[in-house]
Amino acid sequence: MSHAEKRPIVIGVTGGSGSGKTSVSRSILNSLPNHSILLFEQDSYYRDQSHLSFEDRLNTNYDHPLAFDTDLLTEHLQQLINYQAIDKPVYDYESHTRSQEVIHQEPKEVIILEGILILEDERLRDLMDIKVYVDTEDDIRIVRRIKRDMEERGRTLSSIIDQYLTVVKPMHHQFIEPTKKYADIIVPEGGENQVAIDLLTTKVRSILENK
Ligand code: C5P
């Protein structure tokens, strides 16, 4: 079948920061070794803040829907669905802005779109075939976040705790958790949940075979 007759499958994987979205996405990817799969992260589409001072960038609320360039993300996702390549932005967590480089990304058969607020925007929801919410308790999520942000994102313990209590936690309950209602599947305990991963990959295979 030619690309003109079919379109890639889009799986949305959301959940709070530290919920295990990446583990779920990787488990789906590893369970479908015979298909071309793209892990596509909403974080790449944090707005460019190069015009702001470092201090202002530090004070930005990165857990609010407006922190993302959703117009560009929607446009790029639509292009990938149309089997067109994109130049994906690259985000730098240490300088809190988009970097100068872009990554040329060819389209793939399956797109896993992962991010904290991908179900918040109706345009993005409408482009997804399967919507997954990874549901993990707050204490587990903060512990994972502390480890990740200290090891990979150049943060101090006190800055992580302060940001969590003043921004991340309230925004999670205001914006992220309410998007659970849009999910087709709610997965407790993320990547550890092999039954949920098996159900998801069975569904993806059946869509791929019937296209
Ligand atoms: O990978 P994860 O889903 O945790 O990424 C989203 C988180 O990244 C948000 O909760 C946000 O607070 C954080 N973030 C940050 N600094 C930035 C951009 C995002 O701490 N400059």
Side-chain angles (χ1 to χ4, degrees), residues 1 6-11 28 31-37 83 108-111 129-130 200-211:
M1 201 185 277
K6 59 177 191 174
R7 49 158 274 178
I9 297 176
V10 181
I11 308 169
I28 298 172
S31 305
L32 295 165
N34 299 323
H35 296 281
S36 72
I37 304 183
Y83 277 108
K108 300 262 175 99
E109 206 179 354
V110 178
I111 301 166
D129 300 284
I130 304 175
L200 275 166
T201 49
T202 303
K203 176 68 183 164
V204 174
R205 270 197 214 98
S206 100
I207 300 177
L208 284 166
E209 277 157 20
N210 292 310
K211 278 207 304 176

Side-chain angles (χ1 to χ4, degrees), residues 49-50 52-60 62 95-97:
Q49 300 214 99
S50 48
L52 296 181
S53 68
F54 189 71
E55 170 109 43
D56 284 347
R57 291 184 213 164
L58 277 183
N59 291 327
T60 301
Y62 293 103
S95 60
H96 303 273
T97 191

Side-chain angles (χ1 to χ4, degrees), residues 15-18 21-22 43 46 62-63 91-93 96-97 114-116 145 148-149 153 155 163 168:
S17 176
K21 299 183 289 297
T22 309
D43 284 14
Y46 269 117
Y62 293 103
D63 293 81
Y91 189 72
D92 178 358
Y93 291 96
H96 303 273
T97 191
E114 178 205 314
I116 53 172
R145 182 164 169 133
R148 192 259 328 260
D149 282 3
R153 296 190 181 172
R155 309 287 167 86
Q163 183 193 12
V168 180

Side-chain angles (χ1 to χ4, degrees), residues 15-200:
S17 176
S19 56
K21 299 183 289 297
T22 309
S23 309
V24 169
S25 303
R26 289 195 184 286
S27 301
I28 298 172
L29 185 140
N30 293 333
S31 305
L32 295 165
N34 299 323
H35 296 281
S36 72
I37 304 183
L38 168 63
L39 286 187
F40 191 43
E41 290 165 340
Q42 184 185 31
D43 284 14
S44 308
Y45 292 82
Y46 269 117
R47 284 185 195 280
D48 180 24
Q49 300 214 99
S50 48
H51 57 291
L52 296 181
S53 68
F54 189 71
E55 170 109 43
D56 284 347
R57 291 184 213 164
L58 277 183
N59 291 327
T60 301
N61 178 344
Y62 293 103
D63 293 81
H64 193 282
L66 290 175
F68 294 95
D69 186 349
T70 306
D71 288 349
L72 184 64
L73 172 56
T74 310
E75 194 184 313
H76 279 184
L77 182 58
Q78 188 63 66
Q79 281 175 260
L80 290 168
I81 290 171
N82 296 341
Y83 277 108
Q84 293 162 352
I86 58 162
D87 283 331
K88 193 167 64 113
V90 175
Y91 189 72
D92 178 358
Y93 291 96
E94 291 194 32
S95 60
H96 303 273
T97 191
R98 208 174 269 179
S99 78
Q100 301 288 350
E101 47 176 325
V102 290
I103 294 177
H104 185 74
Q105 181 62 62
E106 294 292 335
K108 300 262 175 99
E109 206 179 354
V110 178
I111 301 166
I112 304 178
L113 173 62
E114 178 205 314
I116 53 172
L117 284 162
I118 53 165
L119 293 188
E120 202 271 336
D121 190 280
E122 191 181 358
R123 292 168 300 167
L124 288 176
R125 287 200 304 272
D126 286 348
L127 294 173
M128 295 173 204
D129 300 284
I130 304 175
K131 305 181 205 72
V132 182
Y133 186 99
V134 183
D135 199 10
T136 304
E137 286 179 24
D138 290 4
D139 56 353
I140 309 277
R141 294 192 301 101
I142 178 63
V143 170
R144 286 190 188 148
R145 182 164 169 133
I146 289 169
K147 196 166 179 296
R148 192 259 328 260
D149 282 3
M150 290 183 77
E151 287 172 4
E152 294 168 27
R153 296 190 181 172
R155 309 287 167 86
T156 62
L157 179 60
S158 66
S159 80
I160 299 165
I161 292 173
D162 183 53
Q163 183 193 12
Y164 182 79
L165 294 176
T166 57
V167 181
V168 180
K169 186 175 178 188
M171 293 297 106
H172 177 82
H173 293 293
Q174 188 175 347
F175 291 111
I176 301 168
E177 198 169 32
T179 68
K180 206 189 275 184
K181 65 176 176 283
Y182 300 118
D184 301 307
I185 300 179
I186 297 167
V187 178
E189 296 311 325
E192 310 303 316
N193 193 329
Q194 196 53 46
V195 173
I197 303 297
D198 290 347
L199 286 170
L200 275 166

